[in-house]
Amino acid sequence: RYFGETTTPEMNEKILAGIGENAGVVDIGDGHAVTFRVESHNHPSYVEPHQGAATGVGGIVRDIMAMGARPVAVMDQLRFGPADAPDTKRVLPGVVDGVGGYGNCLGLPNIGGETVFDESYAGNPLVNALCVGTLKVEDLKLAFASGLGNKVMLFGSRTGLDGIGGVSVLASDTFEEGAERKLPAVQVGDPFAEKLLMEACLELFKTDYVVGIQDMGAAGLTSSSFEMAGRSGSGMKMYLDRVPMREVGMTPYELMLSESQERMLICAKKGFEQKVLEIFRKWDLDAEIIGEVTSSGVMQLYWHGELAGEIPIGPLSEA
């Protein structure tokens, strides 16, 4: 809060999106802007170094895409325990490979970073990844779900069981009793699916079909839907049995909390849903209309026609 309160008028003129958005956006003149985001994936990278670091990159790339931008480069800032420690030798190769490998599959160069070894990071590495993107000022997108009757659409990869309880557990947990039992909580990334997602979004942004767009990161469908509705002061109905799934027998609880990667949520203008679906299917992505915007201020979750849950949006989105 203090950081936000100390910006100057000159800074505010250049800041097109700041605290509370998916990524920061700065006007650099002549109608151009840059957007950037840094995110930690510390505990997941300790448990499963390659996937933990790779999905950290994937998440921030989607945050950049959600601003209406094309991602252009990634960087990293890493902290490990002593270089000769056995655990450092276990964690470091996977982290470096995960950061570089995911970006390379997207065609994004890793343009720099820094690595420090210190005893204080033994057993608790710091894995920060950064992504930067470029966009025209007029193409800026924000995470809103507004307009009564506008459709809510999920697109990208299918939803599975990976990552359930992931960030909510791993972000603050310790590993004193053994990390191996936490392995299922680490998400599994597919950078080639994310490349398709990126190109589909960029094609979509050339149209006038989008009201708002949001990455699905921590807490998956829960965080993305509540944030979009909360920012616009609206409500939402979601029909969870319409969510494309890759596992049999998933429950509404699991669908709301899955952190499966390479997924995004969009609020599309009413009447243009089929045109949006055509773009996603052109890029071989799963996409379905799973809900609609209401004015209730409440998230209503339906499962095969029956109300499975009803939660006020304000307490969750404003926390």
Side-chain angles (χ1 to χ4, degrees):
R1 291 193 185 100
Y2 178 74
F3 182 80
E5 292 167 359
T6 54
T7 56
T8 66
E10 292 80 12
M11 292 169 63
N12 289 331
E13 288 181 7
K14 296 294 183 182
I15 298 174
L16 304 180
I19 295 172
E21 295 295 340
N22 283 302
V25 182
V26 178
D27 186 339
I28 59 173
D30 297 327
H32 296 279
V34 293
T35 177
F36 53 91
R37 167 129 180 147
V38 180
E39 186 169 286
S40 295
H41 242 220
N42 306 333
H43 280 37
S45 298
Y46 176 83
V47 175
E48 211 299 300
H50 179 95
Q51 291 295 346
T55 51
V57 173
I60 58 167
V61 168
R62 292 193 301 277
D63 285 327
I64 296 303
M65 288 156 47
M67 305 310 294
R70 172 177 283 279
V72 294
V74 296
M75 297 180 70
D76 60 78
Q77 180 192 50
L78 310 175
R79 299 286 187 273
F80 300 105
D84 58 353
D87 199 61
T88 300
K89 294 178 181 178
R90 175 187 72 87
V91 174
L92 186 149
V95 167
V96 172
D97 188 52
V99 171
Y102 200 101
N104 285 343
C105 292
L106 298 177
L108 301 178
N110 190 313
I111 59 175
E114 63 173 13
T115 302
V116 173
F117 300 92
D118 188 90
E119 180 66 37
S120 62
Y121 294 99
N124 190 27
L126 181 71
V127 180
N128 279 344
L130 174 146
C131 183
V132 61
T134 62
L135 69 157
K136 294 288 186 66
V137 171
E138 62 194 36
D139 293 335
L140 176 65
K141 299 289 186 294
L142 299 174
F144 286 98
S146 58
L148 191 63
N150 282 338
K151 301 303 181 183
V152 178
M153 306 171 71
L154 187 157
F155 64 99
S157 296
R158 289 177 172 261
T159 299
L161 293 169
D162 53 312
I164 293 177
V167 170
S168 61
V169 172
L170 292 176
S172 58
D173 210 348
T174 62
F175 303 103
E176 295 174 359
E177 298 179 6
E180 66 279 352
R181 62 188 178 87
K182 299 297 186 185
L183 185 59
V186 177
Q187 311 98 318
V188 178
D190 180 355
F192 298 106
E194 182 124 334
K195 175 62 174 175
L196 297 175
L197 195 68
M198 183 168 69
E199 298 302 334
C201 284
L202 291 168
E203 181 172 337
L204 183 64
F205 294 154
K206 295 177 182 177
T207 72
D208 191 34
Y209 307 153
V210 181
V211 176
I213 186 169
Q214 174 72 40
D215 161 48
M216 279 194 195
L221 188 54
T222 298
S223 62
S224 57
S225 60
F226 275 86
E227 287 173 8
M228 291 185 77
R231 286 189 179 114
S232 53
S234 61
M236 194 177 289
K237 288 183 179 180
M238 285 203 298
Y239 307 97
L240 297 178
D241 49 287
R242 300 179 186 176
V243 173
M245 307 173 214
R246 66 168 181 257
E247 305 288 351
V248 176
M250 290 188 71
T251 66
Y253 176 86
E254 291 168 337
L255 290 166
M256 288 300 291
L257 288 180
S258 169
E259 293 177 9
S260 294
Q261 295 292 287
E262 292 84 39
R263 299 180 302 154
M264 298 184 79
L265 201 66
I266 186 174
C267 179
K269 291 182 179 178
K270 190 175 181 179
F272 293 96
E273 304 90 349
Q274 292 306 314
K275 291 184 179 295
V276 173
L277 288 173
E278 287 174 11
I279 292 175
F280 293 143
R281 286 166 183 163
K282 167 189 170 182
W283 290 98
D284 200 25
L285 295 168
D286 284 299
E288 293 293 342
I289 300 169
I290 66 165
E292 60 190 46
V293 178
T294 69
S295 58
S296 66
V298 172
M299 181 67 66
Q300 296 174 300
L301 305 174
Y302 288 88
W303 183 245
H304 296 287
E306 295 187 4
L307 185 65
E310 193 169 32
I311 308 167
I313 287 169
L316 268 69
S317 63
E318 297 168 9

